[in-house]
Amino acid sequence: MGVTYKYFGAPDGATAARVPISMRPEELGGDELGHGMFTKIKPETVAAMVLTGIEGVPLHRVPPLELVVLHPDYAVVKLPMTVVDPLRGVGEESVGAAAFIWSTVPDRGGPRDAFTVYQLLHEWQDFSHRLHEAGHQAYCLVWP
């Protein structure tokens, strides 16, 4: 069991709020980008991973997520663009360094080794490029 997170792109909060929520994660179709990302990693963790590991922002300065929809069965949150944008221009060296740094942070249920974190950051890098090209913002659908 556990919480599932689907990261997706949408042009605005109203569109993001209409993401289908009655389907299981494996049945959920693509979003406006054609596909999103499923993971067990919390959006707060992803935000901290990018901002502390790549941008050098102290953990206590990581901005909060914006709640778009709160329902008894699900929630939709918006990730700040300050979390998504830094990944577009960062090079291999920075991704590797961030992965190493983040792999030393204990995180229940999240990535543990540097290579896993490195792969995750590359997935996020691709995702951030797709968001930018579509002119979308990053959202996360959360449900148990």
Side-chain angles (χ1 to χ4, degrees), residues 100-133:
F100 176 76
I101 291 165
W102 196 257
S103 71
T104 65
V105 177
D107 180 28
R108 293 176 306 173
R112 290 187 175 78
D113 64 86
F115 185 69
T116 303
V117 178
Y118 176 81
Q119 289 177 310
L120 175 70
L121 287 172
H122 268 293
E123 287 177 35
W124 268 90
Q125 198 170 38
D126 293 342
F127 184 56
S128 68
H129 283 290
R130 294 194 314 268
L131 287 173
H132 181 72
E133 289 165 8

Side-chain angles (χ1 to χ4, degrees), residues 24-36:
R24 301 296 311 147
E26 55 275 2
E27 297 170 347
L28 188 61
D31 52 51
E32 294 81 8
L33 292 171
H35 52 291

Side-chain angles (χ1 to χ4, degrees), residues 53-134:
I54 293 176
E55 293 290 286
V57 174
L59 198 53
H60 70 278
R61 306 264 316 164
V62 173
L65 304 175
E66 179 184 324
L67 184 64
V68 176
V69 174
L70 180 59
H71 183 274
D73 298 325
Y74 65 95
V76 175
V77 295
K78 177 182 174 189
L79 280 76
M81 291 309 286
T82 55
V83 172
V84 182
D85 285 345
L87 286 166
R88 284 202 328 272
V90 73
E92 281 298 308
E93 206 171 283
S94 294
V95 172
F100 176 76
I101 291 165
W102 196 257
S103 71
T104 65
V105 177
D107 180 28
R108 293 176 306 173
R112 290 187 175 78
D113 64 86
F115 185 69
T116 303
V117 178
Y118 176 81
Q119 289 177 310
L120 175 70
L121 287 172
H122 268 293
E123 287 177 35
W124 268 90
Q125 198 170 38
D126 293 342
F127 184 56
S128 68
H129 283 290
R130 294 194 314 268
L131 287 173
H132 181 72
E133 289 165 8

